[in-house]
């Protein structure tokens, strides 16, 4: 029995190493084995159609997408189809149709009913009863007391009006002085803000013109062009005709096509149409992508000697903006 324990431990260690080796192999395959793609598209008389095929590791894993009035897709592993997009769309359409049928049956069983009749028990307002006023004879003492109270109330009202007018005058004087102070404060705040913007512009200009920033920007530009070359298909063929309602927009599109001429050369024919609005043509392309190019390029950018300098400046700038936004 004790002799079996080392054998079991060796077996467990061997399985762990085997799993780690398989994971490492899969990772290396994902990084270095390219994803190949090819496709074609066509648009004639506002009818669009096309297909795209992506494969990896000698078509061990492949994806097929096509479009003609509806999207279709299939995913294969070896020779087995493990996913189909069209089948799910059909099931969804059947489910929607069944739901509509159920709604129609419920509507047929429960027709729209009429509103309930109004209640017959109506409450009528009681007739107003006439009230007779009883005349009374006022005593002379009561009349004199009422006149005295009215005179006192009038004197109090005049006193309140004078106090209110005096308060309004004091308030108007205070408002005029505070308005002048507010205007001066606004002008001072605007002047301080302009000074801050000028100092910040000087700081950003010095940062942009520094040697380390320029060196990193040149390096970043070269890496971005490398990523762009990896993304652009290796082979493009076909023809494209485009025209917009505004001839100026068509001219801008022709200028952009002229700038991209080194990428397609004579394989793609582009024809701008200035006399009508149209977008038609046929295009086929082929290329491949390597994840290693993007991962290795991103690592090179991250470990560049000037990246930390630029990153710290941008991060500090974001923190200053957030602090100003919170505290004003």
């Amino acid at each position: 029995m004790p002799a079996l324990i080392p054998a079991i431990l060796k077996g467990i260690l061997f399985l762990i190493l085997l799993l780690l080796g398989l994971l490492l192999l899969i990772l290396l395959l994902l990084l270095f084995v390219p994803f190949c793609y090819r496709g074609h598209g066509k648009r004639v008389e506002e009818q669009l159609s096309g297909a795209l095929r992506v494969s990896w590791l000698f078509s061990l894993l492949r994806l097929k997408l096509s479009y003609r009035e509806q999207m279709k897709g299939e995913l294969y592993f070896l020779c087995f189809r493990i996913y189909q997009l069209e089948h799910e769309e059909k099931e969804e359409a059947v489910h929607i149709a069944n739901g509509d049928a159920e709604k129609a049956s419920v509507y047929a069983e429960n027709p729209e009913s009429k509103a309930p009749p109004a209640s017959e028990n109506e409450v009528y307002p009681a007739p107003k009863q006439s009230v007779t006023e009883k005349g009374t004879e006022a005593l002379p003492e009561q009349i004199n007391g009422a006149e005295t109270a009215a005179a006192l109330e009038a004197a109090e009202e005049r006193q309140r009006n004078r106090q209110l007018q005096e308060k309004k005058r004091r308030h108007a004087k205070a408002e005029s002085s505070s308005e002048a102070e507010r205007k001066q404060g606004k002008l001072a705040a605007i002047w301080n803000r302009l000074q801050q913007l000028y100092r910040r512009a000087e700081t950003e200009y010095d940062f942009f013109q520094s040697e380390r920033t320029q060196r990193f920007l040149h390096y970043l530009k070269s890496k971005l062009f490398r990523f762009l070359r990896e993304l652009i298909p290796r082979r493009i063929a076909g023809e494209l005709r485009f025209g917009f309602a505004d001839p100026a927009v068509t001219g801008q599109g022709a200028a952009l096509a002229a700038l991209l001429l080194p990428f397609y050369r004579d394989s793609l024919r582009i024809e701008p149409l200035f006399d009508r609005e149209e977008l038609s043509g046929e295009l086929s392309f082929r290329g491949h992508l390597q994840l290693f190019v993007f991962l290795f390029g991103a690592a090179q950018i991250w470990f560049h000697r000037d990246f930390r300098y630029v990153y710290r400046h941008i991060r500090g700038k974001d923190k200053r903006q957030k602090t100003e936004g919170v505290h004003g």
Side-chain angles (χ1 to χ4, degrees):
M1 185 68 183
L4 293 176
I5 296 177
I8 294 173
L9 293 176
K10 287 181 181 179
I12 294 174
L13 182 60
F14 177 75
L15 289 176
I16 293 174
L17 292 176
L18 180 62
L19 290 176
L20 291 176
L22 289 176
L23 290 176
L24 181 61
L25 178 62
I26 293 173
L27 180 61
L28 292 176
L29 289 176
L30 286 173
L31 289 177
F32 292 99
V33 177
F35 289 83
C36 300
Y37 63 90
R38 61 182 180 182
H40 67 273
K42 186 177 182 180
R43 190 178 191 274
V44 179
E45 296 179 357
E46 298 184 357
Q47 295 294 328
L48 182 63
S49 62
L52 176 65
R53 185 178 185 272
V54 182
S55 61
W56 178 71
L57 196 59
F58 307 106
S59 298
L60 175 68
L61 185 68
R62 59 187 183 276
L63 173 66
K64 295 181 180 179
L65 296 174
S66 62
Y67 179 82
R68 187 186 293 270
E69 295 181 357
Q70 65 176 355
M71 179 66 73
K72 298 179 182 179
E74 294 175 340
L75 180 62
Y76 288 88
F77 180 74
L78 292 176
C79 297
F80 303 99
R81 184 172 61 192
I82 60 177
Y83 181 76
Q84 185 177 5
L85 182 62
E86 181 185 9
H87 182 65
E88 291 189 356
E89 288 184 353
K90 287 182 179 179
E91 287 183 354
E92 186 178 356
V94 171
H95 180 69
I96 293 173
N98 293 335
D100 294 340
E102 290 177 0
K103 289 180 181 179
S105 62
V106 170
Y107 179 77
E109 291 175 0
N110 299 321
E112 188 176 342
S113 59
K114 295 182 180 180
S119 177
E120 295 179 356
N121 299 326
E122 295 181 356
V123 179
Y124 296 96
K128 295 182 180 179
Q129 297 180 356
S130 60
V131 180
T132 59
E133 297 179 354
K134 297 179 180 181
T136 58
E137 295 180 356
L139 297 175
E141 293 82 0
Q142 294 177 352
I143 294 174
N144 294 331
E147 290 178 353
T148 305
L152 290 174
E153 288 181 359
E156 291 178 356
E157 183 68 23
R158 287 193 296 272
Q159 183 66 22
R160 284 196 297 269
N161 290 334
R162 285 195 296 269
Q163 292 177 356
L164 183 61
Q165 290 177 0
E166 183 66 22
K167 187 183 293 185
K168 286 182 178 180
R169 284 195 294 270
R170 290 196 301 267
H171 185 66
K173 290 181 180 179
E175 281 188 350
S176 61
S177 60
S178 62
E179 184 69 22
E181 291 177 357
R182 281 199 299 269
K183 288 181 178 180
Q184 292 178 358
K186 287 182 179 179
L187 291 175
I190 292 172
W191 177 250
N192 292 332
R193 185 61 178 172
L194 290 175
Q195 288 181 340
Q196 291 177 2
L197 291 176
Y198 179 74
R199 288 193 296 269
R200 185 179 299 176
E202 283 186 338
T203 304
E204 296 300 326
Y205 180 78
D206 294 338
F207 165 75
F208 184 77
Q209 293 295 330
S210 65
E211 182 181 357
R212 299 184 66 180
T213 305
Q214 291 294 324
R215 185 167 56 237
F216 176 74
L217 290 178
H218 285 300
Y219 183 78
L220 181 63
K221 180 181 177 182
S222 63
K223 285 300 176 183
L224 291 178
F225 273 106
R226 178 67 183 90
F227 295 160
L228 184 61
R229 286 197 302 269
E230 185 69 19
L231 288 173
I232 291 177
R234 266 57 176 180
R235 183 178 178 183
I236 303 176
E239 59 180 6
L240 177 65
R241 295 177 296 275
F242 67 91
F244 301 97
D246 189 1
V249 179
T250 306
Q252 293 175 1
L256 179 61
L259 289 176
L260 299 177
L261 182 62
F263 294 102
Y264 58 85
R265 293 290 179 181
D266 298 330
S267 59
L268 181 63
R269 189 171 73 88
I270 298 179
E271 180 182 359
L273 304 175
F274 294 92
D275 56 345
R276 63 182 182 274
E277 186 176 0
E278 182 182 346
L279 179 61
S280 61
E282 185 175 1
L283 181 68
S284 61
F285 54 90
R286 178 181 298 179
H288 65 267
L289 297 173
Q290 276 185 305
L291 297 181
F292 172 76
V293 174
F294 299 97
L295 184 62
F296 186 68
Q300 285 181 323
I301 293 174
W302 178 264
F303 291 105
H304 192 267
R305 57 180 179 176
D306 297 321
F307 172 77
R308 297 292 179 181
Y309 169 73
V310 177
Y311 177 73
R312 283 196 298 266
H313 178 81
I314 295 175
R315 188 175 180 181
K317 179 182 176 182
D318 293 340
K319 287 183 178 179
R320 288 192 299 271
Q321 288 179 354
K322 289 180 180 179
T323 305
E324 291 178 358
V326 173
H327 300 287

